[in-house]
Amino acid sequence: MASSKHDGELRRLALSVLQPGFVGTEAPDWVLRDIGDGLAAVVLFSRNIVSTEQVARLTAQLRSENPELIVAIDEEAGDVTRIESATGSSRPGNFALGTVDDTELTEAVAADLGRQLRTAGVSLDYAPSADVNSNPDNPIIGVRSFGSDPDVVSRHTAAWIQGLQSSGVAACAKHFPGHGDVAVDSHHDLPAYGAGRDEIAAQALPPFRAALSAGVRAVMSGHLLVPAYDPDLPATLSRRILRDLLRGELGFDGLVVSDAIEMGAVTRRYGIDGATVKAVAAGVDAICVGGESAEEATTELLVKALTAAVAAGELPEERLAEAAGRVREFAGWSAALRASAGGTGETAGDGIGHLAARRAVRLTGAAREALPLTAAPHVVELAPVTNMAIGKETPWGVAGPLRERLPGTTSVRVHDEELREGKLELTSCALEPAAGRPLVVVARDAARHPWMSRAVTGLTTARPDAIVVEMGLPDTTGATTAHVFTHGASAASGVAAAEVLAGTD
């Protein structure tokens, strides 16, 4: 009997350190049952979202089993949006805000997002990205970062956290100890950050120190190898990084959340169950899972792995209990934060987001001379394969909003494989339709995609009067070409660019 009771307690502890996702716009029975059995958190993705009102009904249903249930979401605004995945974000992302470099604006945008999330019943946002994008070839961070200067990233990380939490939603600084200087996407394999400790202290850690000073109570670990601290284990699985550096040196005593545990950077070597056990043993308090593996069977697999690891002596029960205690403490704090914000509040809609996106637009001298357009253009959008953090369903671009302002605007969207396989040819799909009218070429990180860079060069060589709209990291190599830089590909940024092109701003 005692053993059975202990098994039940262990299961509750194991459930409480998981933050699973699920499929559907209503709570599945298994999720409600697990909440009753001790599950303390869930995470929402775009597949769970139709509207703010529907999410509010869903979160109320989930909290019927536990009023302090942590409801998390991966909502950065900008390119990475869940709450507006169907329409594109009405707010620009971090890089645009860092470019404007007005911390009051950043705080206001985050507060506006916080009001929407709080109205929907969300209590924890896996944002902001506190990564310093020091490697321009980084395939996973890019415009998700406030920039490449640690001082800029630090002050905007702090402002974003203060803004979000002022609206009653807990922030989560990610991806510790800094994911900005890597060249591999951790969704697929393990990236490495090879800098020495002094460089890491000067470059990657300042935004996390700023986040702690700003009152952040959750930090997300990154799946990257940092040999200066641990040559063998990625940060999520490393005691040296989570206990010695984050807790010891930085003095963080809040909730450590893992990046999605099913990502290839950790599962290729340890499996999803092995990675979960190693993460908790290393000092992670809450395991984010279910972006890809959202079935009840995954949650059960991880519960069994954790309880079996305790039984086998691989995971001290005290460590599991400590993690569960931190989750409980965070749940109480975040519930009080939600309550302290009062009322549901109203979002500013496209007001503050539009203002911020518009302020982030930059033009070269040639673009200033060539704009506004005097006729409806042909728009060529060069579309990269985006990383898995960016929803494939999320619309982006300039053609749609430009068509609303200049009726008669035509457009084509071009992908790398279509050019490689001969399904599309730039002369016929881009240059010929633009004969006798303006040509607008829209790129997204052209400098990181050789095929896109070649396409931009080819089109602007054939049409020196073309206007290039870059919606990723700015590339100034084609300095003589008229360029419009939006510093992000959110819906708000697309509208801002269209207004500049059409002269309707």
Side-chain angles (χ1 to χ4, degrees):
M1 185 71 181
S3 173
S4 174
K5 183 181 178 185
H6 184 247
D7 290 346
E9 289 171 358
L10 267 186
R11 176 178 165 78
R12 286 190 74 84
L13 288 177
L15 271 172
S16 71
V17 303
L18 301 179
Q19 298 192 341
F22 57 88
V23 176
T25 54
E26 294 184 359
D29 289 344
W30 71 267
V31 172
L32 294 174
R33 186 170 60 250
D34 280 354
I35 294 169
D37 288 345
L39 185 69
V42 297
V43 56
L44 304 181
F45 294 92
S46 53
R47 63 182 175 229
N48 305 117
I49 294 165
V50 176
S51 66
T52 302
E53 295 74 24
Q54 166 266 325
V55 178
R57 290 193 297 274
L58 170 60
T59 54
Q61 182 189 15
L62 290 163
R63 287 208 176 94
S64 65
E65 296 291 331
N66 174 5
E68 291 192 351
L69 181 77
I70 300 164
V71 178
I73 197 169
D74 187 13
E75 175 60 54
E76 299 176 14
D79 290 30
V80 178
T81 179
R82 309 294 176 232
I83 201 76
E84 296 183 292
S85 67
T87 58
S89 178
S90 58
R91 304 168 186 92
N94 287 0
F95 189 51
L97 295 171
T99 297
V100 178
D101 199 10
D102 177 346
T103 53
E104 288 185 7
L105 179 68
T106 294
E107 189 170 341
V109 169
D112 184 55
L113 174 62
R115 285 189 291 273
Q116 183 179 9
L117 295 180
R118 188 186 176 283
T119 300
V122 170
S123 56
L124 169 61
D125 187 7
Y126 295 147
S129 166
D131 307 294
V132 179
N133 196 62
S134 46
N135 182 353
D137 290 328
N138 192 322
I140 186 67
I141 302 299
V143 296
R144 299 167 65 191
S145 166
F146 289 110
S148 57
D149 182 331
D151 291 339
V152 171
V153 177
S154 294
R155 61 176 169 263
H156 288 279
T157 293
W160 209 95
I161 289 165
Q162 288 162 346
L164 188 79
Q165 295 192 164
S166 74
S167 293
V169 176
C172 177
K174 64 185 184 185
H175 306 80
F176 190 82
H179 216 304
D181 195 14
V182 302
V184 171
D185 183 345
S186 50
H187 288 94
H188 306 298
D189 211 337
L190 180 62
Y193 178 21
R197 290 195 182 196
D198 289 347
E199 185 180 337
I200 292 169
Q203 176 182 278
L205 296 183
F208 290 98
R209 293 186 185 277
L212 270 57
S213 297
V216 83
R217 299 292 303 147
V219 169
M220 178 177 281
S221 63
H223 299 329
L224 70 160
L225 199 65
V226 189
Y229 284 95
D230 192 327
D232 302 314
L233 293 167
T236 299
L237 313 182
S238 171
R239 283 183 62 88
R240 296 178 192 175
I241 291 172
L242 299 183
R243 308 287 282 200
D244 300 348
L245 177 60
L246 178 57
R247 296 239 186 259
E249 191 177 319
L250 270 64
F252 180 62
D253 63 353
L255 187 75
V256 176
V257 185
S258 77
D259 203 350
I261 204 68
E262 64 262 53
M263 287 164 64
V266 289
T267 57
R268 283 176 64 141
R269 189 165 181 186
Y270 303 106
I272 192 170
D273 47 351
T276 295
V277 170
K278 285 184 175 295
V280 175
V284 168
D285 304 307
I287 300 290
C288 171
V289 64
E292 307 302 310
S293 307
E295 310 79 19
E296 178 182 8
T298 300
T299 297
E300 279 306 305
L301 172 70
L302 300 189
V303 166
K304 285 176 181 168
L306 288 165
T307 55
V310 171
E314 297 167 17
L315 172 64
E317 186 172 344
E318 303 76 43
R319 167 79 274 267
L320 184 60
E322 178 191 43
R326 287 194 191 278
V327 171
R328 210 165 36 246
E329 183 183 353
F330 182 88
W333 174 80
S334 61
L337 186 69
R338 284 178 63 235
S340 71
T344 55
E346 291 296 321
T347 69
D350 64 359
I352 190 69
H354 175 266
L355 172 69
R358 182 64 191 84
R359 285 182 62 188
V361 175
R362 299 288 183 269
L363 281 68
T364 60
R368 277 192 290 274
E369 292 171 15
L371 296 175
L373 298 173
T374 55
H378 182 57
V379 181
V380 181
E381 294 179 334
L382 303 171
V385 175
T386 54
N387 64 62
M388 289 174 66
I390 299 169
K392 287 184 170 56
E393 75 284 354
T394 305
W396 68 278
V398 174
L402 193 54
R403 194 174 291 115
E404 294 173 10
R405 288 155 181 81
L406 290 175
T409 294
T410 56
S411 65
V412 63
R413 184 160 284 193
V414 179
H415 299 82
D416 178 23
E417 68 271 15
E418 293 172 323
L419 295 177
R420 273 189 288 108
E421 295 170 8
K423 294 176 183 175
L424 277 181
E425 201 272 321
L426 287 176
T427 299
S428 57
C429 76
L431 294 173
E432 289 174 1
R437 53 198 290 223
L439 173 64
V440 175
V441 181
V442 182
R444 192 172 180 181
D445 280 333
R448 271 205 320 108
H449 300 286
W451 74 269
M452 192 182 297
S453 184
R454 287 193 301 270
V456 170
T457 300
L459 291 170
T460 55
T461 300
R463 283 287 301 266
D465 63 331
I467 310 287
V468 177
V469 180
E470 173 57 79
M471 303 192 80
L473 295 179
D475 175 20
T476 54
T477 51
T480 57
T481 304
H483 269 80
V484 177
F485 300 108
T486 62
H487 304 96
S490 69
S493 298
V495 169
E499 289 181 344
V500 170
L501 291 166
T504 57
D505 56 318

